[in-house]
Amino acid sequence: MKNIHKYIALTVLVTLSVSCKDEKQEMAHQKVAQFTMYVDSISRVATDETTKNWESIQARYEKVKMEAQDAMNQLENKMDMETLIDKADSKYEEYKAAVLLKRDAMLRENFRNSFFTENVGEDMKFEWVNKDNIADVYLHFIGTIEQNKDSYTREDWDEIKLIYEALDTRKNTVEKEGLSSKDNIKIAGLKIKFATLYQINRATAKSKENTEAKE
């Protein structure tokens, strides 16, 4: 009789153990599937759209991935699960790189456009600038810089310098189209003002960043 009771008890323990393993296996499959489906769904969206709320997408990704890994780690044999997670992770990182590249381009474009009343464009050819409006363009450009000079980082000043040089290239073309002496003199004064603003404030921004880095 005792042997029968021991057999029954052992059978129950084995059944519970198998049941527990099955539950863990099912949970791991479910969480890993949720993770891979999330990555698949995100990677189908155009990068123009995901750049708008990338932080929330990244936060959701990290949460779903962590849940998948935690469930997987409960298994004794998890090689297949790890392969699925690694594959989805690689796919996500490739997509993430494209999104961040796109977002950087958009931020750079918005930054450039903030100095003008027209879109600058990636090529910065300033084709909308002509002999009649170029003096006002310089005035608006440098006035915007002067107004916001304390907020620019060293990298911002480097970008501003590139914009300035591109505008100067356009000026060389406009001069040949009949730029008036009055506007030419006005622009010359603004160029001197820009040089002063750039030299002083870029140095200040660099010094500030160095101090913050040491702290």
Side-chain angles (χ1 to χ4, degrees):
M1 193 70 174
K2 288 182 180 180
N3 289 336
I4 293 175
H5 288 160
K6 287 180 180 179
Y7 175 76
I8 293 172
L10 181 60
T11 301
V12 170
L13 287 174
V14 170
T15 302
L16 289 173
S17 177
V18 171
S19 177
C20 183
K21 287 182 179 179
D22 287 345
E23 288 180 3
K24 289 180 180 179
Q25 189 79 20
E26 179 62 30
M27 178 60 72
H29 276 294
Q30 181 181 341
K31 293 297 184 181
V32 171
Q34 287 176 352
F35 174 63
T36 57
M37 284 189 292
Y38 179 73
V39 172
D40 285 341
S41 65
I42 289 299
S43 61
R44 293 193 191 102
V45 182
T47 54
D48 287 349
E49 293 298 320
T50 49
T51 53
K52 300 173 184 176
N53 58 338
W54 182 251
E55 283 71 19
S56 62
I57 291 173
Q58 177 68 22
R60 175 64 178 164
Y61 163 82
E62 291 172 357
K63 181 177 184 296
V64 177
K65 181 181 178 182
M66 183 178 295
E67 290 175 352
Q69 287 179 321
D70 288 345
M72 178 192 68
N73 289 335
Q74 300 299 315
L75 305 178
E76 293 180 4
N77 184 4
K78 54 190 177 182
M79 186 175 296
D80 291 342
M81 298 287 183
E82 284 180 330
T83 300
L84 290 173
I85 289 178
D86 289 345
K87 185 176 179 180
D89 198 38
S90 296
K91 184 175 184 179
Y92 179 83
E93 289 300 325
E94 183 178 347
Y95 180 76
K96 177 181 177 180
V99 171
L100 295 182
L101 189 65
K102 180 68 176 181
R103 187 172 69 170
D104 287 346
M106 290 174 64
L107 290 173
R108 186 170 62 252
E109 182 179 359
N110 291 338
F111 183 74
R112 290 174 177 176
N113 289 339
S114 69
F115 300 99
F116 305 97
T117 58
E118 301 281 345
N119 289 338
V120 176
E122 187 65 27
D123 58 12
M124 291 198 295
K125 289 184 177 179
F126 290 98
E127 292 178 346
W128 48 273
V129 175
N130 54 55
K131 64 182 181 62
D132 298 318
N133 67 11
I134 189 167
D136 289 335
V137 171
Y138 268 95
L139 183 63
H140 189 274
F141 172 58
I142 294 170
T144 302
I145 293 171
E146 188 171 30
Q147 184 178 356
N148 301 287
K149 63 182 185 297
D150 295 332
S151 66
Y152 297 138
T153 64
R154 179 171 53 86
E155 288 77 11
D156 289 338
W157 283 108
D158 291 342
E159 183 69 19
I160 289 169
K161 183 70 178 301
L162 290 176
I163 301 169
Y164 172 78
E165 290 172 348
L167 181 58
D168 260 5
T169 298
R170 180 60 180 172
K171 178 182 177 292
N172 293 335
T173 300
V174 170
E175 277 187 297
K176 301 172 185 176
E177 297 173 352
L179 180 63
S180 69
S181 298
K182 179 181 177 181
D183 283 344
N184 214 341
I185 293 171
K186 184 177 181 180
I187 291 171
L190 291 168
K191 286 165 67 71
I192 293 172
K193 189 173 186 178
F194 171 81
T196 303
L197 283 169
Y198 175 79
Q199 290 173 4
I200 293 174
N201 290 282
R202 187 186 183 283
T204 301
K206 183 178 181 180
S207 176
K208 181 180 178 182
E209 289 174 14
N210 290 339
T211 301
E212 290 175 349
K214 291 178 181 178
E215 293 175 353

